Amino acid sequence: MVDLDSEVPPLPPRYRFRDLLLGDQGWQSDDRVQVEFYMNENTFKERLKLFFIKNQRSSLRIRLFNFSLKLLSCLLYIIRVLLDDPTQGLGWSPIIWVNRSLPLWGLQVSVALISLFETLLLSYLSYKGNIWEQILRIPFLLEIINAVPFIITIFWPVLRNLFIPVFLNCWLAKHALENMINDLHRAIQRTQSAMFNQVLILISTLLCLIFTCICGIQHLERAGNRLTLFDSLYFCIVTFSTVGFGDVTPKIWPSKLLVVIMICVALVVLPIQFEQLAYLWMERQKSGGNYSRHRAQTEKHVVLCVSSLKIDLLMDFLNEFYAHPRLQDYYVVILCPTEVDAQVRRVLQIPMWSQRVIYLQGSALKDQDLLRAKMDDAEACFILSSRCEVDRTAADHQTILRAWAVKDFAPNCPLYVQILKPENKFHIKFADHVVCEEEFKYAMLALNCICPATSTLITLLVHTSRGQESQQSPEQWQKMYGRCSGNEVYHINLEESTFFAEYEGKSFTYASFHAHKKFGVCLIGVRKEDNKNILLNPGPRYIMSSTDICFYINITKEENSAFKKQEKHRKNHESKLSYHGASRLPVHSIIASMGTVAIDLQDTGCRTSSGPTLALPSEGGKEGRRPSIAPVLEVADSSSLQTCDLLSDQSEDETTPSDDEASAGLEYAKGYPPYSPYIGSSPTFCHLLHEKVPFCCLRLDKGCQHNYYEDAKAYGFKNKLIIVAAETAGNGLYNFIVPLRAYYRPKKELNPIVLLLDNPLDDLLRCGVTFAANMVVVDKESTMSAEEDYMADAKTIVNVQTLFRLFSSLSIITELTHPANMRFMQFRAKDCYSLALSKLEKKEREKGSNLAFMFRLPFAAGRVFSISMLDTLLYQSFVKDYMISITRLLLGLDTTPGSGFLCSMKITEEDLWIRTYARLYQKLCSSTGDIPIGVYRTESQKLTTSESQISISVEEWEDTKDTKEQISYRSNHRNSTSSDQSDHPLLRRKSMQWARRLSRRVPRHSGKTAEKINQQRMNLYRRSERQELAELVKNRMKHLGLSPAGYDEMNDHQNTLSYILINPSPDTRLELNDIVYLIRPDPLAYVPNTAPSRKDSFCNTVGQDTREETQL
């Protein structure tokens, strides 16, 4: 075995301990060579070049010194002229010889020596092999002309008074100034401004021309008029300005020749300089120049980054941003990579915007452009996506890069980012505020199916308005609707508030009800001082604290309100209050102390989220007694609170499933969705199936091995369908399904959801459009971009109009790209009422309203909305940083433990005993803790009898069905869906009479055949366009093997108008079929820790018969 140690070679002698201590001296005999780099820069020439040319700071000092020398030489020339006596000498001698004193000569010689030495040195350092290129340069020749003669006079004193054109040094000073400015920009590492350089060159050129002409004329006229410098200045100004008084003129031919040369030079040089300046000015106008650093440090500004700026986007931003009083002094800097179009340029030239809006053409990915916008000093940066792009994912990628670039350049600048697709949201999680378009869009569309016109409600809440729209209108609904549209969400600290300070230590529902009763404000939520989460309607168990931030809905914020106390004298008021402060005690204790039960209790059973009822109290012992409502308690009474355990079934019919559900195998469980379609989605407690449905069973129009159904009718759904017509099944649909399957919705009210990716008539009929509750039409991404911007909605509008004509009773909810296209929804060409609304919209727009489109009937009814209307949500968050959070809670996009949710209830005949909105507020707060925030009202329109009695007559008789149809048509002009012939009954009557006269000329058939043909002809004449469409649909359904029984061709619900009243006044009367928007407290917050039995968790009704009587 070989010894391993013997294989290791011995260390060289130099690696001894002594060598380690004394140094490695043995390396001197090594073969290694030490190499020194950049030895060429160590030469004397390179060092001089580094000092005079390459180094920016030293070169700048040299340029400044050279510029000062040239100015000094020009100043010495002026001094010599002022000290000279032009009367000496005769003939041409004053032009050749001058009187130069010895000290002045000495200064000029010194300046000449220094200038010549510097010129020769710089020529040597910049020499590159061609000496003639250095010699024939104009600055070098001028230097030789001005410096060499003075050096010659040193050796030849006789020539000391020889005239030397020193004034030509002004051109050398101009050249040194240009080089100095270039070195200055390099030294301070700032972007060179081409406009500044061009202006500098123009001014210096003009000054040099004038100075040269002044000095030349003055010197040449020494042999003529003997002008002074001031006379020469006067002559040059008059001549160059083309005034030409003629009082001062040159007398000798050299002077005249100089004037001609100078004018020719000016005519050639100055236009070129002006042309370059004008070109740079135009380019500067296109690019926008720079935002002043001084203004950025003294004034506040925000930056708006967009990929393309459209006039609608710009006006929406400016109107909403400057609607807040404290933002009037802010500047808006727009950073856009495209050139500003003509329409935007015209708007930015309006004095109202020209002083506050600055347009910069540039990219947010360039630090140079971010520096121009002074992004590091900005108060905020808004980054908006281009929703009109064909590839919306690519648009999101551009937005993400812009956000990253801004965050990298200005880490402390707050970011407000708009993103299109939810799967891209997690890339910009660092932004201060993010609005995802598809999240909000699908959530609003889903809630529109549960709570009608939720999109209109949210849109009105996030728009800034004073509530003065249409206050001079003769129609009452427009006045109420316009006034209530001014309600917005505001916040205030409770201890600083006049509205809520007195409710410290009381329950939330008590504070909300009494604040609305006393001040007309609607308290909807709170936020604790030590918690960032906002709680919408935390319920009656929440006790108000002095440090709470209160969120309320009102026309204006409390700081802008004036309070006037009104004394209300009530008869025998003190005698009625026999027990002071009684509401602080539990109700059953109060009634026990009174010894009697004197209150008719309302039904406090658990109500469904979509349709709770407020039943009339039963008459106890007194006949004809006025119905009463229990008071809202200051402190929640655990025995009287309704506490429903939503983790278990909520109703008896849900506890015991029906035979149909058992046979269908529909078993639901409450829980969180197991899969999230994208990162950043908020988990929501939902109804889930126990087992995952196979993918093949999701096809409604094709059978599979599990079922053989091929249309919606065959499934036998108990509830009406919700049809979603979309282009693709994107991740955003998750936010549409979750609100419709939320845990607080009873199982028996879950609507089947049908996704329709293509919508020809056959597919519509198969998916059950004839018995659908709602049809949601999502704007298709492929049509969002068009050559003409507003044509992006053309396909959607025409398709929806077709659905509206074929299925007039179908509730269609449509999303559009441009809000201006809402006027084409349910379009009727000859509708007088729609034309009147169009004129009203124009008047409101002229008055400066931000909500001019709000009176369009489809928008007011919640049938159409545009996601671009929610852009104001991002703009408002700059002033109200809580608006995005509140909107997400209302739409169900976020779920916070203890926070309520948005739902609705319908006012039926059994609920009309409540009478007013204030009594409804008290009823809800005292029973279930719900907070009402608005009313959705539907009204029918009727015209005068004289207008409604026009009918169609054919041979003095008419069909009863047609008569009803015509009366229905005439009772509402704006809801006519008939053709042009049916729109004018008189024309239709004349045409039928003409057809009847023609028929009389035709030979009559005999007997029953003629009568039958005549009857068929009359039926065709009398058939309206709607009947023709109905026949078309029915025939198509028969062809597909579908039963036409569910198709109601004459059921037209379009002769009504609907609108929203946000936070109406307490004395507003309730009407039949009103839908009240509610913020219901979180039921899970009241679930006890120990799971009770199903019977006990259904509803806690202890103490129902122990409430104090309060009559309103």
Side-chain angles (χ1 to χ4, degrees), residues 522 524 917 920-921 924-925 930-934 1063 1076-1079:
C522 179
I524 63 171
Y917 186 75
L920 174 67
Y921 211 117
L924 293 171
C925 289
D930 297 344
I931 302 297
I933 62 173
N1063 188 29
V1076 183
Y1077 298 102
L1078 308 174
I1079 299 181

Side-chain angles (χ1 to χ4, degrees), residues 900-912:
F901 57 91
L902 181 65
C903 61
S904 64
M905 60 166 287
K906 189 172 185 179
I907 300 297
T908 61
E909 292 183 356
E910 298 177 352
D911 303 325
L912 291 179

Side-chain angles (χ1 to χ4, degrees), residues 311-324 327-328 332 347 352-353 356 463-465 845 848-851 872 875:
I311 186 63
D312 292 337
L313 175 66
L314 174 64
M315 295 312 301
D316 288 344
F317 178 84
L318 295 180
N319 290 331
E320 185 61 37
F321 185 80
Y322 285 112
H324 301 277
L327 300 182
Q328 298 302 313
V332 174
V347 171
M352 181 172 61
W353 306 123
R356 297 189 290 184
H463 271 77
T464 301
S465 171
R845 186 176 288 110
S849 172
N850 297 340
L851 297 170
T872 57
Y875 312 153

Side-chain angles (χ1 to χ4, degrees), residues 13 67 320 417 466 576 774 790 920 933 1017 1035 1108 1112:
F67 176 73
E320 185 61 37
V417 184
R466 288 177 166 266
K576 289 186 178 181
N774 293 279
Y790 291 95
L920 174 67
I933 62 173
R1017 183 184 294 116
N1035 292 334
E1108 182 184 8
L1112 297 178

Side-chain angles (χ1 to χ4, degrees), residues 576-588:
K576 289 186 178 181
L577 296 178
S578 58
Y579 193 92
H580 296 282
S583 60
R584 291 184 178 272
L585 298 177
V587 177
H588 56 81

Side-chain angles (χ1 to χ4, degrees), residues 954-981:
V954 179
E955 293 184 353
E956 304 300 328
W957 69 281
E958 57 186 26
D959 185 71
T960 305
K961 197 173 185 179
D962 289 342
T963 303
K964 293 181 180 179
E965 181 181 337
Q966 292 300 327
I967 292 175
S968 175
Y969 157 73
R970 299 305 296 177
S971 66
N972 187 2
H973 284 282
R974 68 184 183 280
N975 296 299
S976 171
T977 55
S978 57
S979 63
D980 294 341
Q981 211 173 28

